[in-house]
């Protein structure tokens, strides 16, 4: 329950420095009186590292909030055709007692408590801090407030009816005294936190206050998060359409600042993420993971599941490759319907129709009923100019693919029912073998919470919802698309990447929703996008006909179709453990008592 995780100790960082590649260092939990310890900017920074460290938890962005809570959608699914091994959660078949529901709820409030505790400790000892260091400490408090706002945002958009926790004192109430705050009040609190913090925080590229700001929250982080809060607030279920103007203005502030932009090369985003390279040009808010030992999978290290659950499968641990479990898959029809896969470089950088064997060959083993290997579906070709050879189930050669053309358009559908792997966090491709973690589940790959391309797409969406498509809305979307197609983003000459001119508001809306899928697929946003657009359940149900057609009646490869219910699965259930203790709480609709 909430009370048990609202701790009375401070996170004291014993070795408080960012390691060269990224993450927050080892922490030790000790009790220190509120007025003690924090007496300088450095000591405040040391403790703040512990609050950042919370977000690396596997119950937060190390695994659950990054990967699992974005399942299922119209573009992503869990592998398998049964509900075993937590596939119930990934297919909306879980209950309010599921550990992933309880543990993520707990971890979110845990982080809120630590942020509150840090803020209170700084305020209590503020007079002991040298005056010349107080501006820096103010920035650190603003960072903690943004983290606190983000945790509340995750709670309110996933659970709807929650408790705002703005002090550690609240955490010591008896559970029977807790009542659920109205979602609009929670959004109001988040809005105020982010606006006030953005006034204090520096832009990442203009930061002369902090000794280092690598992977730390900046003004751009706060404003981009605020924009996402506004577009969510404007959508289902609150439908506060006045917030579209707030979203537009907030995105405009970021765009006009000149402090952020798109990287010219889309692939560079994934090289950076897989190698813990900090580049605030496009990265606005990034969760950094780092385990100092390539052989370590200890829980004390700050490593996550990024690229392991949602990467390109590696069959076995054979040097120099490291096993990747890859349970998260792309829905086949999403890839099949991707327009212009030859021109749009994001197609082959987001989707992988292969996996790696320990022998470093590309291939998929197929077994007969006796368990004997009979054929590989895809093998590396030794024919000049041919990337892969595709074979049918009898082992006969079917076709050569001389390009990365979408294989679905060729009609060979059967092998793809389980979906494609995700290529963005291809650890085998991007990470040098000497830096690979040897554990099959852990990696040092980072997670983007917010990128500048998202700001451009939110900006275009807000404009369209206010007035229909404008020149500015077109320019924002086309800039994202041009980068994806490899064109000059600033060119005034129209390209085949640009959206068709003269779209209606409805057509532009549909194009933009598709564009968010192409640009941001598998980055933890699709499910919440579908929910705020009010089309989540319809999108899942719509997979039945498309997958039946695709797989000759085999829509069972999308298990969520049979379990997703309108008016229920737009929210997670309040954890039953909490509900039993907090007698003033009501369960979310259709989740039972």
């Amino acid at each position: 329950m909430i009370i048990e995780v609202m701790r009375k100790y401070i996170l004291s960082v014993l070795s408080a420095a960012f390691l060269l590649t990224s993450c927050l260092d080892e922490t030790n939990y000790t009790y220190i009186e509120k007025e003690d310890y924090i007496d300088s900017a450095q000591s405040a920074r040391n403790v703040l590292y512990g609050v950042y460290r919370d977000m690396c938890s596997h119950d937060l962005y190390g695994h659950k909030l990054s990967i699992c809570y974005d399942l299922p959608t119209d573009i992503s699914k869990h592998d398998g055709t049964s509900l075993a091994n937590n596939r119930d959660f990934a297919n909306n078949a879980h209950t309010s007692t599921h550990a992933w529901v309880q543990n993520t709820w707990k971890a979110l409030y845990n982080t809120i408590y630590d942020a509150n505790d840090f803020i209170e400790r700084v305020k209590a000892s503020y007079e002991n801090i040298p005056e010349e260091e107080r501006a820096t400490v103010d920035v650190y408090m603003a960072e903690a407030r943004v983290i606190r706002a983000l945790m509340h945002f995750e709670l309110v958009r996933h659970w709807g009816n929650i408790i705002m926790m703005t002090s550690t004192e609240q955490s010591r109430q008896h559970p029977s005294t807790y009542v659920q705050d109205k979602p609009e009040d929670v959004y109001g609190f988040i809005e105020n936190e982010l606006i006030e913090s953005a006034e204090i925080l520096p832009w990442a590229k203009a930061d002369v206050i902090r000794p280092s700001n690598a992977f730390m929250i900046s003004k751009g982080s706060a404003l981009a998060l605020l924009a996402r809060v506004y577009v969510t607030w404007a959508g289902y279920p609150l439908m506060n359409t006045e917030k579209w103007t707030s979203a537009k203005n907030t995105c405009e502030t970021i765009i006009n600042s000149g402090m952020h932009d798109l990287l010219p090369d889309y692939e560079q985003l994934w090289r950076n993420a897989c190698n813990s390279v900090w580049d605030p040009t496009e990265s606005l808010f990034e969760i950094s993971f780092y385990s100092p030992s390539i052989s370590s999978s200890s829980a004390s290290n700050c490593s996550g599941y990024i690229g392991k659950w949602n990467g390109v499968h590696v069959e076995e641990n054979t040097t120099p490759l490291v096993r990747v479990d890859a349970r998260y898959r792309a829905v086949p029809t999403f890839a099949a319907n991707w327009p212009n896969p030859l021109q749009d470089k994001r197609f082959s950088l987001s989707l992988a129709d292969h996996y790696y064997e320990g022998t470093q060959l590309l291939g998929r083993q197929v077994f007969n009923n006796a368990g004997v290997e009979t054929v590989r579906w895809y093998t590396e070709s030794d024919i000049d100019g041919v990337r892969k050879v595709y074979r049918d189930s009898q082992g006969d050669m079917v076709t050569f693919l001389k390009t990365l053309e979408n294989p679905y358009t060729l009609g060979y559908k059967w092998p793809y029912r389980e979906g494609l792997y995700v290529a963005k966090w291809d650890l085998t491709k991007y990470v040098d073998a000497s830096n690979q973690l040897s554990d099959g589940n852990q990696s040092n790959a980072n997670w983007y919470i917010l990128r500048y391309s998202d700001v451009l797409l939110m900006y275009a969406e807000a404009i369209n919802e206010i007035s229909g498509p404008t020149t500015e809305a077109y320019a924002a979307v086309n800039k994202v698309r041009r980068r994806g197609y490899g064109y000059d983003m600033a060119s005034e000459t129209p390209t085949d990447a640009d959206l068709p001119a003269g779209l209606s508001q409805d057509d532009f809306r549909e194009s933009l929703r598709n564009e968010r899928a192409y640009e941001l697929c598998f980055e933890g946003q699709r499910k919440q996008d579908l929910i705020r657009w009010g089309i989540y359940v319809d999108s899942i149900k719509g997979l039945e006909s498309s997958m039946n057609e695709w797989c000759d009646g085999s829509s069972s490869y999308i298990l969520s179709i049979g379990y997703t219910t309108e008016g229920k699965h737009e929210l997670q259930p309040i954890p039953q453990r909490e509900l039993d203790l907090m007698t003033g709480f009501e369960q979310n609709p259709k989740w039972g008592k």
Side-chain angles (χ1 to χ4, degrees), residues 130 177 360 376 434 561:
T177 66
Q360 302 186 65
R376 294 189 177 98
S434 64
I561 294 169

Side-chain angles (χ1 to χ4, degrees), residues 388-419:
K388 297 177 187 174
V389 175
Y390 282 68
R391 303 175 185 273
D392 66 15
S393 58
Q394 282 71 49
D396 298 323
M397 188 175 295
V398 174
T399 184
F400 296 142
L401 294 185
K402 297 186 178 182
T403 69
L404 291 176
E405 183 176 3
N406 186 342
Y408 301 110
T409 63
L410 302 178
Y412 305 111
K413 301 175 180 180
W414 191 86
Y416 307 102
R417 289 182 295 184
E418 268 283 67

Side-chain angles (χ1 to χ4, degrees), residues 129-147:
I129 298 170
E131 189 171 350
E132 65 272 16
E133 296 183 11
R134 290 177 187 173
T136 306
V137 172
D138 289 342
V139 170
Y140 294 152
M141 280 199 290
E143 292 176 65
R145 292 179 71 182
V146 172
I147 295 173

Side-chain angles (χ1 to χ4, degrees), residues 8-280:
K8 297 181 181 179
Y9 49 74
I10 188 172
L11 289 174
S12 175
V13 180
L14 296 182
S15 177
F18 271 99
L19 299 179
L20 291 177
T21 48
S22 66
C23 190
L24 313 169
D25 210 339
E26 299 275 342
T27 59
N28 181 42
Y29 300 96
T30 57
Y31 178 80
I32 301 175
E33 294 296 339
K34 271 189 165 45
E35 65 272 17
D36 295 334
Y37 185 68
I38 297 180
D39 56 4
S40 66
Q42 183 59 54
S43 58
R45 184 182 178 94
N46 291 352
V47 179
L48 178 63
Y49 282 164
V51 186
Y52 273 98
R53 175 65 175 271
D54 286 348
M55 293 191 291
C56 295
S57 162
H58 290 171
D59 293 316
L60 297 182
Y61 300 106
H63 183 208
K64 305 305 187 301
L65 281 184
S66 52
I67 302 172
C68 303
Y69 271 69
D70 195 43
L71 291 171
T73 71
D74 58 341
I75 68 172
S76 58
K77 62 185 286 289
H78 204 298
D79 70 337
T81 57
S82 77
L83 298 178
N85 299 320
N86 292 310
R87 291 182 178 89
D88 54 348
F89 184 92
N91 287 287
N92 288 331
H94 60 293
T95 69
S96 61
T97 61
H98 198 285
W100 288 5
V101 175
Q102 295 177 345
N103 293 345
T104 296
W105 170 282
K106 174 181 174 180
L108 287 165
Y109 276 111
N110 179 12
T111 307
I112 289 171
Y113 181 89
D114 288 341
N116 284 335
D117 192 53
F118 171 75
I119 293 166
E120 290 170 7
R121 290 179 183 279
V122 171
K123 289 180 176 179
S125 58
Y126 199 76
E127 294 303 318
N128 299 326
I129 298 170
E131 189 171 350
E132 65 272 16
E133 296 183 11
R134 290 177 187 173
T136 306
V137 172
D138 289 342
V139 170
Y140 294 152
M141 280 199 290
E143 292 176 65
R145 292 179 71 182
V146 172
I147 295 173
R148 179 170 67 177
L150 174 60
M151 298 299 101
H152 277 97
F153 180 51
E154 297 288 17
L155 282 161
V156 74
R157 67 176 180 163
H158 286 290
W159 280 275
N161 302 286
I162 65 161
I163 315 164
M164 278 190 292
M165 286 286 182
T166 59
S167 72
T168 58
E169 184 61 33
Q170 286 178 270
S171 306
R172 288 182 275 275
Q173 293 177 210
H174 192 277
S176 63
T177 66
Y178 289 126
V179 295
Q180 290 155 298
D181 288 294
K182 294 179 180 178
E184 52 266 41
D185 292 340
V186 179
Y187 275 100
F189 167 73
I190 295 168
E191 177 185 34
N192 184 68
E193 288 286 277
L194 295 175
I195 289 174
E196 291 188 0
S197 298
E199 289 294 320
I200 298 168
L201 289 162
W203 295 103
K205 288 191 171 183
D207 188 356
V208 296
I209 297 176
R210 294 173 286 190
S212 169
N213 67 1
F215 303 104
M216 297 184 80
I217 290 166
S218 66
K219 185 187 294 290
S221 312
L223 291 174
L225 179 56
L226 181 61
R228 182 175 290 175
V229 168
Y230 283 141
V231 299
T232 306
W233 199 348
Y236 178 88
L238 296 184
M239 305 297 292
N240 186 342
T241 55
E242 293 180 358
K243 297 304 175 183
W244 285 119
T245 300
S246 301
K248 171 184 174 293
N249 293 340
T250 303
C251 291
E252 220 161 49
T253 299
I254 300 171
I255 293 167
N256 292 340
S257 73
M259 292 292 177
H260 294 280
D261 205 346
L262 299 182
L263 294 176
D265 181 6
Y266 187 74
E267 188 171 19
Q268 190 61 47
L269 287 163
W270 315 111
R271 293 192 193 99
N272 289 350
C274 289
N275 292 286
S276 296
V277 174
W278 167 241
D279 188 340

